[in-house]
Amino acid sequence: MTDIQSLAERIDKVWADEEAADLGPVFVKQALDLLDAGEVRVAEKRGGQWVVNEWVKKAVLLHFRFTNNREMTAGPIEWFDKVGLKTGWEQARVRSVPTAIARYGSFIEPDAVLMPCYVNIGARVGSGTMIDTWSTVGSCAQVGKNCHISGGVGIGGVLEPLQANPVIIEDDVFLGARSEVAEGVIVEEGAVLAMGCFLAQSTKVYSVPEGRVIEPGRIPARSVCVPGSLASKDGSHHTYAIIIKKQRDAKTDARTALTSILREGPAVASE
Ligand SMILES: CC(C)(COP(=O)(O)OP(=O)(O)OC[C@H]1O[C@@H](n2cnc3c(N)ncnc32)[C@H](O)[C@@H]1OP(=O)(O)O)[C@@H](O)C(=O)NCCC(=O)NCCS
């Protein structure tokens, strides 16, 4: 059994109150250190499916049970909280602009760029991705590689219930300014959301190419989505909906490449 497997079992026991009281915080700290180092993650794609590692979510929740608030400072700035901040940006090869905040227990892959944004515990941001100004990556959300998460975007956090999927933004996705994705929605590879798209599990998604309302909760790969509305069956009203207009094409690529130069090049100077 690997160390990680046995730690997972221990966290399950702590969760079920079957472990010695003094050991719980020790195992939870070990789990959060692994999460913070990117060695375990809340959700991962296995055999083409996103699978939630419930024990990791349990560890995150247990941290709040076991930890008291404490004062934290950064120069003249102070906080009072249960979770500290991530440190070691240069070593991690991540460019992070002042006032970007990533909490301990999140993981940012090398060569990602954090503008002044907020990344919560359990979240993961892939290499080459830019999280633009005032956007938030909620707890446990998984953002893939080479994404552009535009200004003011909200990616919802999902901690409870344990089996609930976090929001998943796959590789090469573009989320337009002020969009919001919540409730464990999956945005598949290369999809584009225009600015101001709001997406939760119940949001209807209409595909123009397919000429029908598709399954909610998932945006198919390379779809170009815009905000719109759909008429109710009796025609009495319209409800907000996401409209898939087309598949991503060269024109979309040109319009969404707005920060590719800013994201190029190494995060730290080479020797
Ligand atoms: C989605 C976007 C990338 C356009 O992609 P595109 O491939 O060039 O899209 P097109 O111009 O070919 O438009 C395709 C269709 O979608 C519609 N559409 C495109 N963008 C739209 C928008 N933002 N709102 C509503 N409809 C939109 C077009 O009117 C067109 O409709 P039609 O087929 O009925 O004529 C662009 O609208 C967008 O939102 N850019 C992001 C801006 C942004 O957030 N920047 C970041 C700032 S930090």
Side-chain angles (χ1 to χ4, degrees), residues 26-271:
V26 176
F27 296 140
V28 166
K29 170 87 172 62
Q30 284 174 8
L32 262 67
D33 282 347
L34 289 174
L35 190 59
D36 192 69
E39 286 170 34
V40 298
R41 49 192 296 173
V42 168
E44 55 201 308
K45 213 170 189 180
R46 283 189 219 133
Q49 295 295 322
W50 282 94
V51 179
V52 177
N53 294 319
E54 283 185 24
W55 73 273
V56 182
K57 286 180 84 176
K58 284 177 186 167
V60 172
L61 289 167
L62 285 165
H63 172 84
F64 286 87
R65 185 188 294 168
F66 294 146
T67 311
N68 292 325
N69 288 311
R70 64 186 186 280
E71 199 169 278
M72 292 172 241
T73 58
I77 307 172
E78 294 182 6
W79 292 272
F80 182 62
D81 193 9
K82 300 186 177 203
V83 183
L85 299 181
K86 260 193 115 57
T87 53
W89 292 108
E90 185 173 359
Q91 203 185 358
R93 288 187 24 227
V94 171
R95 190 154 73 84
S96 82
V97 172
T99 78
I101 290 181
R103 268 174 134 189
Y104 168 72
S106 60
F107 185 69
I108 322 292
E109 292 179 6
D111 301 321
V113 179
L114 302 188
M115 296 304 282
C117 63
Y118 184 78
V119 182
N120 208 343
I121 190 167
R124 186 171 174 117
V125 173
S127 173
T129 285
M130 174 178 273
I131 310 291
D132 218 332
T133 304
W134 309 140
S135 42
T136 54
V137 183
S139 48
C140 303
Q142 306 288 299
V143 180
K145 298 181 197 309
N146 302 316
C147 295
H148 182 91
I149 309 301
S150 303
V153 163
I155 299 177
V158 182
L159 261 178
E160 292 177 278
L162 279 175
Q163 63 282 7
N165 278 332
V167 172
I168 288 169
I169 311 295
E170 293 191 340
D171 296 348
D172 300 308
V173 163
F174 179 96
L175 299 184
R178 310 287 160 185
S179 292
E180 187 86 29
V181 184
E183 293 185 333
V185 166
I186 299 181
V187 181
E188 290 183 352
E189 240 173 273
V192 171
L193 267 58
M195 58 177 99
C197 285
F198 296 95
L199 196 50
Q201 282 294 342
S202 302
T203 311
K204 288 206 165 60
V205 181
Y206 181 82
S207 167
V208 174
E210 291 188 43
R212 65 180 182 97
V213 173
I214 63 167
E215 279 296 295
R218 179 181 288 269
I219 297 296
R222 300 185 64 77
S223 303
V224 175
C225 304
V226 304
S229 64
L230 288 175
S232 62
K233 280 193 183 121
D234 65 2
S236 66
H237 61 278
H238 281 68
T239 304
Y240 177 85
I242 290 290
I243 312 295
I244 298 176
K245 282 289 199 177
K246 61 176 188 180
Q247 284 287 98
R248 187 173 179 153
D249 57 23
K251 183 164 171 279
T252 325
D253 288 345
R255 287 187 68 184
T256 55
L258 66 174
T259 55
S260 40
I261 291 175
L262 301 180
R263 289 185 272 153
E264 274 171 16
V268 287
S270 48
E271 299 287 306

